[in-house]
């Protein structure tokens, strides 16, 4: 695999308000080949400032494994399905990783024709 393919992998992070919504989004991303895998993590407590008040909420984080080239489509899909006014959507580049795994991420997020 070329170095360019290695640097194209990203992990997109978002959090949803409940497990059912998180699983629905994960399924939609994988079904649409926008993600090779989405890890739906255990519920966590988030503490944040929103509209001049400190808030606390239970959330379900997602780790979305995809290619950087698909980020705009992944972001659009998250925004389409996300109930928050301002959802967390952060892409973290994968600098290095197991070559076979990164090849799998690329293959699973590529639509083959024919």
């Amino acid at each position: 695999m070329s170095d360019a393919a290695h640097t194209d992998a990203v992990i997109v992070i978002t959090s949803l308000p409940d497990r059912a919504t998180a699983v629905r989004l994960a399924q939609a991303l994988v079904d649409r080949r926008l993600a090779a895998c989405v890890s739906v993590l255990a519920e966590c407590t988030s503490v944040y400032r929103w509209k001049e008040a400190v808030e606390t909420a239970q959330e379900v984080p997602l780790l979305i494994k995809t290619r950087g080239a698909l980020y705009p489509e992944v972001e659009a899909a998250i925004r389409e399905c996300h109930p928050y006014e301002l959802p967390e959507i952060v892409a973290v580049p994968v600098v290095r990783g197991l070559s076979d795994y990164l090849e799998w991420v690329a293959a699973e997020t590529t639509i083959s024709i024919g």
Side-chain angles (χ1 to χ4, degrees):
M1 174 175 261
S2 71
D3 288 339
H6 283 267
T7 59
D8 189 44
V10 296
I11 297 174
V12 178
I13 302 166
T14 192
S15 296
L16 283 292
D18 59 77
R19 182 157 296 279
T21 305
V23 170
R24 272 195 308 274
L25 177 57
Q27 186 71 46
L29 291 169
V30 173
D31 284 348
R32 292 165 58 182
R33 297 187 82 87
L34 293 176
C37 172
V38 179
S39 297
V40 180
L41 303 181
E43 185 178 82
C44 68
T45 301
S46 294
V47 179
Y48 54 93
R49 184 174 301 279
W50 179 247
K51 297 186 178 181
E52 302 304 318
V54 175
E55 302 283 341
T56 302
Q58 298 305 115
E59 296 184 303
V60 177
L62 297 182
L63 301 178
I64 302 160
K65 288 72 151 215
T66 188
R67 293 182 292 121
L70 292 175
Y71 176 82
E73 292 170 75
V74 171
E75 180 184 289
I78 293 170
R79 290 175 63 94
E80 175 185 306
C81 299
H82 211 293
Y84 292 171
E85 179 181 342
L86 179 62
E88 169 192 22
I89 305 174
V90 178
V92 180
V94 174
V95 177
R96 290 194 180 127
L98 179 65
S99 182
D100 290 344
Y101 181 80
L102 297 176
E103 289 173 9
W104 174 78
V105 169
E108 291 304 314
T109 57
T110 302
I111 297 173
S112 59
I113 299 170

